[in-house]
C-alpha cells in the first residue's frame, strides 16, 4: 500500500473501522450497494476477535470446530473477496486507526504493519462506520497478576489463532456468556476445566421471559455450550467467584467462595481448587474512544459499561459517523452482523427490510437483558486485600487507591489516576478502569477518554502534515 | 471418550507446515508458521517473559488481543513488543524484558 501521509489519497464514500462481524457485514453490504468503501482493521486477517481463526500456515482443516456460526463468517469472507477482487472494496489489513479527524468529511489516521512497524496511513472518507468491537472488563482479585491467570477472551483468542492453551487444568471464572463459550472451547481442545465460576445466579434472565422467547437461537446456543460442559463433567458454580489465585511464579490453584446477592463473599464458603491456569472476565467494554474523543454522545448500558448513543438507523450524534455492533452495547455476533448490514443500507440511502430491522431489535433487547443479568454487584471489592494490585501496568495497589480516596479526597477515577498513576501505564486503563472507577465511587460510569486509540511513535506523529486548512 | 486426548491442533484437523526455531533467552523454541511469539512460548509451557518495573514480578500474555501490554518482550533487540500480536519469524531472538525495557537508552 502507498501509505505515506504526504501522498495524495483517494477519498472513499465510506470507511469502516474494524473487520469483525459488524464491520465485515457493513463493508460488503455497502460495496455491493455501490459505495466506494474502505475496510480498515488492525489484524492481518478478517474476523475480528469473534471469528479469530488459525493462521494459514497452521493448515486447519476444520476451523469451525472452535466457532459458533462459522458459516456466517465464510459467507461474509466470500463476499469480501468478491468485492475486493472487483475493486469495489479496499481492504486495509494491519491498519490500526489511532485517531479520526472530522471537517469536510473524515480523515482516519492509522499505523500500519505488524505492531505498527510499517509506517502510517491517512484514509479520507465522506462517512465512517465505527465497528471496533470491545475488550474485556476485568475485576481484580488477590493473585490475578500471576502468570497463568489470563482473560477468558484471551484464552479463546490464543486458542483460536495459535492453537495453544495456557495450561492443562483451567478454572474459568467471572461473569457473562463468554465464560460458557470459552469453557466449551477449552474442553473441546483437550483442557480440563474443573469449574466455571459465575458470579451471578442467572435469575436476571428470568425477568425477560418474552425477550428470551423472541431469541430462540440464543437459547439454543447457550444450551449447546451447557450440554458440552455437562458431557465433559464441568461443574457450573453460580453465585461464586475466584477470591484468590495461589502460586509464586505461576498459578497453582484458586480459592473460590459463594457470593451473596451483592457479590460479597460469604465467609466460611471458601473452597480450594487446584489448577495451572485461570481464564477470567466480567463481560465486555465497548471500544469507542475514537468517537468519544470527538465528543460523540454516550449512553450507560445495563451492565454498567458505556456505549455510543445511536438512533434507530445507527447514527451517532456526530454527523457522518455511524456505529454498529458492540460499540453500541455488547450483544454478540448475530446482532453485530444485523447492525452492520442495517447501517450500510442507511448510509447507501437504501430501504432497510422490515425483517432485518426486527431481527436487530430482538437481538438488541436480548443484549439489554444479558447486560442487566451480569452487572457486577456492588460488594465485589470485599474480595480484595490492601496489597492486591488494581492497575497491572503501574502496579498500584488497593491500599494506594483507598489512600487517595479516603485520605486525599479523590472522588472520581480521574483524580485517583492523577494521585496514584492508576490507568496511566501502557494499557491506558483498559484493564483497571472499571475497578478504579468503582473504588473511587464517582457515581455513574463515564466513557473512556484517550486522545490516541493506539500507540503511535513520535516520528509517525511528527510526519502528520499540519498544513491542511480544512482540518 | 477413547484414545489419545484431544489437542487444539487435533480438534481443528491442523496439519501445520514444519515448525521453525526462535530463540528465547538462549533457549531454542519451536514455532509453527503463523503462530504469534506468545503462542509459541505458551506451546513450550512458558507463561512469563517480562518483569514489572516496580516489583520485578513475572508477567506474560494476559488479554491475548493486544489491549493489556502485559506480554511485552524484547524482540530482535527492540524492547516493548507486544508478543501476542507479533508472528514468530524464523530466527527471531526474544529476550525477557526487565523493568521498563529501555536499558539501552540509559546514559
Amino acid at each position: 500500500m502507498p501509505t505515506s501521509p504526504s501522498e495524495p489519497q483517494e477519498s472513499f464514500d465510506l470507511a469502516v473501522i474494524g473487520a469483525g462481524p459488524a464491520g465485515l457485514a457493513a463493508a460488503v453490504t455497502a460495496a455491493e450497494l455501490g459505495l466506494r468503501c474502505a475496510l480498515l482493521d488492525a489484524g492481518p486477517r478478517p474476523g475480528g476477535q469473534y471469528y479469530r481463526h488459525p493462521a494459514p500456515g497452521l493448515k486447519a482443516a476444520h476451523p469451525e470446530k472452535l466457532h459458533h456460526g462459522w458459516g456466517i463468517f465464510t459467507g461474509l469472507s466470500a463476499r469480501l473477496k468478491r468485492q475486493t477482487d472487483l475493486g469495489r472494496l479496499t481492504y486495509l489489513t494491519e491498519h490500526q486507526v489511532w485517531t479520526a479527524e472530522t471537517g469536510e468529511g473524515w480523515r482516519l489516521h492509522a499505523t500500519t504493519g505488524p505492531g505498527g512497524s510499517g509506517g502510517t496511513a491517512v484514509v479520507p472518507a465522506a462517512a465512517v462506520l465505527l465497528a471496533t468491537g470491545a475488550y474485556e472488563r476485568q475485576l481484580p482479585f488477590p493473585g490475578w497478576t500471576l502468570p497463568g491467570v489470563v482473560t477468558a477472551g484471551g484464552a479463546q483468542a490464543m486458542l483460536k489463532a495459535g492453537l495453544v492453551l495456557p495450561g492443562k487444568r483451567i478454572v474459568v471464572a467471572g461473569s457473562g456468556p463468554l465464560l460458557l463459550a470459552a469453557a466449551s472451547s477449552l474442553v473441546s481442545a483437550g483442557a480440563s476445566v474443573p469449574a466455571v465460576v459465575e458470579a451471578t445466579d442467572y435469575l436476571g434472565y428470568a425477568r425477560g421471559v418474552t425477550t428470551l422467547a423472541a431469541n430462540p437461537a440464543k437459547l439454543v446456543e447457550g444450551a449447546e455450550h451447557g450440554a458440552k460442559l455437562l458431557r465433559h463433567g464441568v461443574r457450573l458454580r453460580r453465585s461464586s467467584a475466584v477470591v484468590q489465585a495461589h502460586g509464586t511464579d505461576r498459578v497453582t490453584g484458586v480459592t473460590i467462595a459463594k457470593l451473596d446477592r451483592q457479590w460479597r463473599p460469604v465467609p466460611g464458603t471458601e473452597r480450594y481448587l487446584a489448577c495451572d491456569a485461570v481464564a477470567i472476565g466480567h463481560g465486555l467494554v465497548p471500544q469507542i474512544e475514537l468517537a468519544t474523543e470527538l465528543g460523540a454522545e454516550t449512553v450507560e448500558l445495563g451492565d454498567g459499561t458505556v456505549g455510543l448513543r445511536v438512533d434507530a438507523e445507527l447514527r451517532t450524534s456526530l454527523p457522518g459517523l455511524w456505529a454498529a455492533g458492540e460499540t453500541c452495547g455488547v450483544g454478540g455476533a448475530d446482532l453485530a452482523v444485523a447492525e452492520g448490514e442495517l447501517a450500510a443500507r442507511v448510509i447507501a440511502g437504501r430501504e432497510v427490510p422490515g425483517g432485518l430491522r426486527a431481527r436487530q431489535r430482538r437481538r438488541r433487547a436480548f443484549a439489554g437483558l444479558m447486560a442487566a443479568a451480569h452487572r457486577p454487584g456492588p460488594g465485589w471489592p470485599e474480595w480484595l486485600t490492601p496489597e492486591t494490585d488494581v492497575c497491572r501496568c503501574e502496579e498500584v495497589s488497593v491500599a494506594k487507591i483507598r489512600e487517595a480516596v479516603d485520605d486525599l479526597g479523590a472522588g472520581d477515577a480521574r483524580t485517583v489516576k492523577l494521585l496514584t498513576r492508576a490507568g496511566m501505564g501502557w494499557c491506558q486503563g483498559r484493564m483497571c478502569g472499571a475497578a478504579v472507577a468503582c473504588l473511587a465511587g464517582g457515581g455513574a460510569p463515564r466513557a473512556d477518554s484517550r486522545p490516541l486509540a493506539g500507540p503511535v511513535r513520535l516520528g509517525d506523529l511528527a510526519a502528520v502534515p499540519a498544513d491542511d486548512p480544512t482540518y | 471418550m477413547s484414545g489419545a486426548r484431544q489437542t487444539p491442533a487435533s480438534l481443528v484437523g491442523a496439519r501445520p507446515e514444519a515448525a521453525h526455531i526462535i530463540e528465547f533467552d538462549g533457549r531454542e523454541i519451536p514455532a509453527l508458521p503463523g503462530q504469534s511469539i506468545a503462542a509459541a512460548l505458551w506451546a513450550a509451557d512458558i507463561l512469563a517473559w517480562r518483569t514489572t518495573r516496580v516489583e520485578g514480578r513475572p508477567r506474560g500474555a494476559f488479554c491475548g488481543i493486544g489491549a493489556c501490554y502485559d506480554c511485552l518482550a524484547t524482540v530482535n533487540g527492540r524492547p516493548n513488543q507486544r508478543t501476542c500480536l507479533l508472528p514468530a519469524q524464523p530466527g527471531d531472538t526474544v529476550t525477557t524484558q526487565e523493568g521498563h525495557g529501555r536499558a539501552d537508552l540509559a546514559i
Side-chain angles (χ1 to χ4, degrees):
Chain A
M1 269 319 289
T3 53
S4 156
S6 57
E7 286 175 37
Q9 298 278 333
E10 64 171 323
S11 186
F12 295 93
D13 297 323
L14 172 67
V16 176
I17 310 177
L24 270 180
V28 298
T29 304
E32 286 162 3
L33 293 175
L35 294 187
R36 289 168 9 84
C37 184
L39 173 62
L40 297 86
D41 190 84
R45 290 185 296 284
Q49 301 307 338
Y50 187 79
Y51 291 123
R52 223 175 217 262
H53 52 280
L58 290 166
K59 300 265 170 73
H62 299 289
E64 74 280 2
K65 299 271 189 184
L66 280 167
H67 286 84
H68 200 274
W70 183 247
I72 295 168
F73 173 65
T74 53
L76 290 169
S77 297
R79 290 163 69 192
L80 172 67
K81 183 169 187 316
R82 200 173 312 129
Q83 294 304 314
T84 49
D85 287 350
L86 290 168
R88 295 174 179 163
L89 175 55
T90 302
Y91 175 33
L92 302 168
T93 59
E94 295 181 323
H95 275 58
Q96 156 107 54
V97 178
W98 54 268
T99 199
E101 293 178 277
T102 179
E104 301 289 314
W106 291 82
R107 285 160 65 91
L108 304 178
H109 292 265
T111 58
T112 66
S117 56
T120 60
V122 179
V123 177
V128 170
L129 185 136
L130 196 67
T132 42
Y135 53 87
E136 266 179 299
R137 174 164 58 184
Q138 295 299 330
L139 300 179
F141 55 93
W144 77 305
T145 55
L146 278 171
V149 179
V150 303
T151 72
Q156 279 270 68
M158 296 278 284
L159 172 57
K160 285 176 176 177
L163 303 180
V164 289
L165 297 167
K168 294 183 176 67
R169 190 174 154 83
I170 308 169
V171 170
V172 177
S175 192
L178 176 61
L179 299 188
L180 297 180
S184 169
S185 305
L186 294 172
V187 293
S188 298
S192 85
V193 173
V196 173
V197 186
E198 162 63 60
T200 71
D201 52 14
Y202 284 105
L203 293 178
Y205 286 98
R207 285 194 282 272
V209 175
T210 50
T211 304
L212 287 177
N215 288 277
K218 301 305 282 184
L219 293 181
V220 170
E221 190 179 335
E224 283 170 0
H225 290 318
K228 184 180 285 177
L229 296 180
L230 264 181
R231 235 173 20 249
H232 284 87
V234 177
R235 187 89 194 260
L236 174 62
R237 293 185 177 277
R238 293 179 296 168
S239 301
S240 301
V242 168
V243 294
Q244 185 168 6
H246 306 276
T248 46
D249 291 334
R250 65 182 287 173
V251 63
T252 53
V254 292
T255 297
I256 66 172
K258 291 292 279 184
L259 301 180
D260 67 14
R261 301 291 299 273
Q262 307 295 313
W263 287 34
R264 286 181 298 233
V266 178
T269 61
E270 295 85 0
R271 169 192 294 263
Y272 179 84
L273 290 177
C275 62
D276 59 1
V278 181
I280 187 113
H282 283 277
L284 304 174
V285 185
Q287 184 155 302
I288 56 176
E289 60 262 77
L290 286 168
T292 51
E293 267 317 294
L294 294 168
E297 287 174 19
T298 57
V299 59
E300 186 189 338
L301 303 162
D303 59 0
T305 63
V306 173
L308 290 177
R309 182 188 294 281
V310 288
D311 66 14
E313 325 254 67
L314 301 174
R315 281 184 200 86
T316 71
S317 62
L318 298 178
L321 181 68
W322 274 258
E326 317 294 49
T327 51
C328 314
V330 171
D334 192 55
L335 172 63
V337 168
E339 291 198 337
E341 189 179 334
L342 198 160
R345 289 189 155 271
V346 173
I347 296 164
R350 301 302 178 92
E351 199 173 319
V352 177
L356 175 60
R357 209 179 272 283
R359 189 171 118 225
Q360 186 261 347
R361 269 203 227 104
R362 273 201 313 275
R363 293 284 191 267
R364 219 3 113 193
F366 185 82
L369 178 66
M370 191 174 74
H374 293 283
R375 184 183 182 109
W380 71 264
E382 290 197 20
W383 69 54
L384 300 170
T385 65
E387 301 77 33
T388 310
D389 272 338
V390 178
C391 170
R392 300 172 68 91
C393 301
E394 295 292 323
E395 295 166 88
V396 181
S397 65
V398 168
K400 283 186 205 158
I401 291 175
R402 294 219 162 114
E403 182 193 12
V405 173
D406 297 338
D407 301 342
L408 303 175
D412 58 34
R414 183 178 154 74
T415 312
V416 169
K417 173 176 166 174
L418 294 173
L419 291 170
T420 66
R421 291 193 61 79
M424 284 175 86
W426 272 101
C427 88
Q428 288 288 287
R430 285 175 177 86
M431 294 301 116
C432 69
V436 171
C438 180
L439 294 173
R446 287 180 13 185
D448 285 332
S449 179
R450 300 182 189 99
L452 307 179
V456 195
R457 290 179 299 197
L458 287 175
D460 292 339
L461 270 181
V464 174
D467 54 355
D468 187 337
T470 317
Y471 293 92
Chain B
M1 281 188 296
S2 61
R5 196 169 177 84
Q6 191 82 262
T7 67
S10 67
L11 174 68
V12 298
R15 303 173 66 92
E17 292 161 16
H20 60 83
I21 299 295
I22 64 171
E23 195 185 290
F24 171 69
D25 285 351
R27 231 175 111 177
E28 291 194 341
I29 306 285
L32 296 173
Q35 271 183 335
S36 66
I37 290 171
L41 292 171
W42 274 22
D45 199 30
I46 297 167
L47 290 180
W49 49 85
R50 176 171 89 85
T51 60
T52 60
R53 287 178 294 184
V54 182
E55 303 278 351
R57 300 249 168 81
R59 296 276 176 86
F62 180 62
C63 82
I65 63 167
C68 79
Y69 296 81
D70 252 339
C71 70
L72 299 177
T74 299
V75 180
N76 301 326
R78 287 183 69 196
N80 296 321
Q81 301 302 299
R82 281 180 281 179
T83 55
C84 76
L85 297 183
L86 270 192
Q89 305 289 353
D92 274 350
T93 302
V94 182
T95 46
T96 290
Q97 175 162 319
E98 309 279 348
H100 53 50
R102 298 173 65 203
D104 56 315
L105 298 182
I107 46 170

